[in-house]
Structure formats: structure tokens, C-alpha cells
């Protein structure tokens, strides 16, 4: 663990100002509260330059606790742990239990969407390892992830647009500035999960994120995001959490730069016994959901690319 992470106080989850049924209601409330937000210039827009690495979060992996488990979470990405009841809808809670049971034999989730170079999606983007860069301008904010070249683009003071009428891996993100806070609403994303070994969510997931650069009295800084997830298919009620990043000073001092991520080299590997160390489903005749989530129920709701679709094969033909 980096020294900066040890010295930083643990941030608390800041709940929304009141209960909202939808992300749209939440976002519109914040925009009214901030009177439309702050119109920044290139000179005044907050600068979050440099390399950043994931630090504490309250949802998965790095915080020691998670709303999806009772008590301490299993170490790393290992199997085990007691699943919390009543956070996920009954269908998704059962699917999560099935995923965790499937992990016991391998002590990990044996198949992960990164195996086939798929983008992790906005929720998992928040806590993937390696480094990030944030590039803020008055009209857009670009968030670059070293892992898989997954870049999120936030369109400032604009409305959502979806000329394809279909969801996409990272969805569509719009936002506005409120002083030094960046408030973001993301919708129209593919179904994915919070992290490897964690619950899936549906194609109706939407997110509200509130970002701010926090300076500590000891001179250290962290980038902090208060996030609320809205998914009527997978969540009993909206779920809030906090994610943080600290400066990746070791990588910066070494002169590291984000390069192209060569994902294909890691798709499939063999061990000394000629067995694959990354399991690939690979069977023909499966739906898109079955290919990407072989450890979840084949009929799990909300697992097509876009709400209302029957399955992936109905759009482009049988998977090859």
C-alpha cells in the first residue's frame, strides 16, 4: 500500500440530500440546487493533472467492507464471505450467490469479461488498478484509464444523446460544474458488474457521481467521488458509496506514461500442464449474456445490451 493511502483519513459516504427514485431526479435536483452550475473557462476549470491510482472505496476490494457482504470482505478476489441480504433484488441476490458458489472451486471468479478484452464499464472503472488521468476543459472532461484504454467522456452542460437508440459499454455521461465539484449523470450502459467476483447489474443501471479534489492538512491530496447507483432491476433501493484516488507519485517519478493497452496478449494462456489459466466459454449457440457471464443464470433479467432486446443473437445472428 502506498504511503499516501496510509496517511489519508478514511472518507465517509455522503448520502444524497434526500431519497430519489431515479438518477434523473437526483441530477435535476442538484442542478437546481446549484442554480445551473458554474460556467468555467479554460483558465478557471479545476485541474486534476498527473497520474492517479485507486485508493480507498466503500463498495468493493480496497475498503475492507462492502454493502454486498456481512462483515469483512474476502481478501483480494478470493471466494468466501457472507452475502448481505436485501441489498439486491431477489433475482440478482440469487445470481450473486450462484456466482460466489461457483468461485469456491477456483478461489476466484474463473471467467471475467476482461478475458475477451471487453470494457469494464463505468462502475468497475472507478476502482480498477493501474493509473488514471483526468483532463478537464470547459465543455468536456476526459477520464483515461490505463487498463484496456477505456476512456470516459463527460459532456459538460449538455443533454444526453443516443442517436443509435442502443446502450454502449461506457454509456453516455453528461455533467456540470458546481464550483470545484464535477457532477455527472451516466446512463445507457451495458450490463456489467461492480468488480470481478461482485454482483452484476442490469442494462437499466444509471449513476450519479460527484467529484472533488480534497486537500488534507498534511499536504496530501486525493480525488474523491461520491457515487449513487440506480438500478430498479438489480437493486432494492439506490446504493451510495465513495471512491478515492491518490497521486501515483512512484509512476510519475519513474516517467511512466499511459500507452496503448495490448489486451490480445492476455486473452488466453497455458500453464505447464497445457491447461488454460484463463477459462473461455467459447461454445457456439449461446446468447451474448451466456458468453460473458457463464457463472450467472442464463435467464437473468436485464442482461441484454439494451433494454427491450431479446438477446444478442437476435440482432447479429449466432455467436461465432
Amino acid at each position: 500500500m502506498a504511503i499516501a493511502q496510509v496517511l489519508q483519513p478514511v472518507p465517509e459516504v455522503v448520502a444524497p440530500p434526500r431519497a430519489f427514485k431515479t438518477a434523473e431526479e437526483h441530477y435535476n435536483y442538484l442542478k437546481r440546487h446549484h442554480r445551473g452550475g458554474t460556467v468555467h473557462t479554460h483558465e478557471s476549470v479545476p485541474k486534476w493533472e498527473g497520474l492517479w491510482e485507486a485508493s480507498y472505496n466503500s463498495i468493493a476490494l480496497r475498503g475492507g467492507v462492502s454493502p454486498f457482504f456481512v462483515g469483512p470482505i474476502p481478501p483480494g478476489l478470493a471466494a468466501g464471505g457472507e452475502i448481505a441480504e436485501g441489498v439486491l433484488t431477489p433475482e440478482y441476490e440469487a445470481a450473486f450467490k450462484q456466482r460466489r458458489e461457483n468461485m469456491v472451486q477456483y478461489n476466484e471468479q474463473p471467467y471475467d469479461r476482461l478475458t475477451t478484452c471487453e470494457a469494464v464499464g463505468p462502475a468497475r472503472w472507478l476502482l480498477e488498478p493501474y493509473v488514471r488521468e483526468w483532463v478537464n476543459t470547459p465543455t468536456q472532461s476526459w477520464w483515461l484509464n490505463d487498463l484496456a484504454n477505456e476512456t470516459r467522456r463527460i459532456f459538460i452542460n449538455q443533454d444526453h444523446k443516443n442517436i443509435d437508440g442502443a446502450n454502449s459499454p461506457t454509456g453516455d455521461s453528461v455533467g456540470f460544474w458546481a464550483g470545484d465539484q464535477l457532477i455527472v449523470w451516466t446512463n445507457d450502459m451495458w450490463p456489467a458488474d461492480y468488480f470481478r467476483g461482485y454482483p452484476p447489474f442490469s442494462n437499466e443501471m444509471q449513476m450519479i457521481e460527484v467529484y472533488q479534489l480534497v486537500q488534507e492538512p498534511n499536504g496530501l491530496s486525493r480525488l474523491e467521488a461520491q457515487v449513487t447507483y440506480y438500478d430498479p432491476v438489480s437493486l432494492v433501493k439506490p446504493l451510495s458509496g465513495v471512491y478515492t484516488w491518490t497521486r501515483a507519485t512512484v509512476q510519475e517519478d519513474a516517467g511512466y506514461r499511459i500507452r496503448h493497452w495490448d489486451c490480445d496478449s492476455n486473452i488466453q494462456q497455458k500453464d505447464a500442464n497445457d491447461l488454460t489459466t484463463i477459462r473461455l466459454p467459447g461454445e457456439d449457440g449461446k446468447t451474448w449474456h451466456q458468453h460473458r457471464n457463464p457463472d450467472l443464470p442464463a435467464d437473468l433479467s436485464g442482461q441484454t445490451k439494451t433494454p427491450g432486446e431479446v438477446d444478442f443473437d437476435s440482432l447479429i445472428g449466432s455467436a461465432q
Side-chain angles (χ1 to χ4, degrees):
M1 180 177 291
I3 294 176
Q5 295 182 24
V6 175
L7 298 178
Q8 297 260 10
V10 174
E12 295 183 357
V13 176
V14 178
R18 63 176 178 82
F20 301 101
K21 292 184 179 180
T22 66
E24 181 177 13
E25 182 184 1
H26 187 172
Y27 184 80
N28 289 338
Y29 172 91
L30 293 178
K31 198 159 192 179
R32 289 194 303 270
H33 175 75
H34 292 290
R35 300 184 179 183
T38 305
V39 178
H40 278 294
T41 65
H42 282 282
E43 289 72 27
S44 68
V45 68
K47 308 296 193 302
W48 303 334
E49 296 177 347
L51 299 178
W52 297 82
E53 58 188 346
S55 184
Y56 175 88
N57 77 84
S58 65
I59 296 295
L61 192 64
R62 292 183 173 84
V65 295
S66 168
F68 301 117
F69 292 94
V70 177
I73 64 175
L77 302 175
E82 180 183 353
I83 294 175
E85 297 183 348
V87 177
L88 302 167
T89 58
E91 181 186 21
Y92 271 73
E93 185 177 297
F96 183 38
K97 290 180 178 179
Q98 178 175 315
R99 166 168 284 176
R100 298 300 299 183
E101 290 169 359
N102 188 63
M103 291 173 62
V104 172
Q105 178 181 354
Y106 310 95
N107 199 34
E108 65 175 349
Q109 183 180 329
Y111 173 78
D112 180 67
R113 66 188 75 262
L114 296 186
T115 304
T116 50
C117 298
E118 183 181 319
V120 300
R124 184 164 163 177
W125 187 100
L126 296 170
L127 54 78
E128 282 287 1
Y130 310 109
V131 295
R132 313 282 195 286
E133 286 184 297
W134 274 264
V135 181
N136 297 327
T137 77
T139 58
Q140 291 189 35
S141 183
W142 289 15
W143 305 353
L144 294 80
N145 185 0
D146 186 37
L147 177 65
N149 300 121
E150 188 169 3
T151 299
R152 297 180 59 189
R153 289 177 173 82
I154 287 70
F155 297 90
I156 307 300
N157 297 328
Q158 299 187 42
D159 296 327
H160 283 296
K161 296 180 181 179
N162 188 344
I163 63 173
D164 301 314
N167 287 12
S168 62
T170 53
D172 188 68
S173 297
V174 298
F176 68 93
W177 286 97
D180 62 350
Q181 289 186 333
L182 179 57
I183 299 171
V184 178
W185 170 22
T186 301
N187 66 7
D188 292 345
M189 67 188 82
W190 281 3
D193 41 46
Y194 297 89
F195 202 70
R196 184 170 185 165
Y198 280 75
F201 55 78
S202 83
N203 50 25
E204 295 188 38
M205 169 68 87
Q206 298 191 26
M207 298 163 54
I208 299 295
E209 302 160 82
V210 180
Y211 285 78
Q212 188 170 26
L213 184 63
V214 178
Q215 301 289 345
E216 299 296 342
N218 60 7
L220 296 175
S221 62
R222 71 170 182 268
L223 192 58
E224 181 176 303
Q226 298 288 342
V227 181
T228 301
Y229 298 100
Y230 292 86
D231 186 357
V233 178
S234 72
L235 293 173
V236 171
K237 61 181 180 180
L239 176 66
S240 293
V242 60
Y243 294 81
T244 65
W245 298 265
T246 55
R247 287 293 293 272
T249 54
V250 173
Q251 292 90 329
E252 289 180 343
D253 292 344
Y256 181 80
R257 292 177 177 173
I258 291 180
R259 305 292 192 189
H260 178 76
W261 183 270
D262 184 12
C263 182
D264 286 345
S265 63
N266 294 317
I267 286 182
Q268 189 171 4
Q269 302 172 357
K270 291 186 178 182
D271 63 16
N273 297 316
D274 207 32
L275 298 175
T276 56
T277 58
I278 300 177
R279 297 174 64 236
L280 300 175
E283 297 89 353
D284 291 334
K286 289 191 173 184
T287 66
W288 183 67
H289 162 57
Q290 290 172 317
H291 271 286
R292 0 174 15 241
N293 302 310
D295 60 337
L296 298 176
D299 59 350
L300 186 62
S301 300
Q303 291 296 312
T304 55
K305 279 190 173 183
T306 303
E309 292 178 358
V310 177
D311 59 46
F312 187 58
D313 291 347
S314 68
L315 295 181
I316 68 167
S318 298
Q320 299 298 317

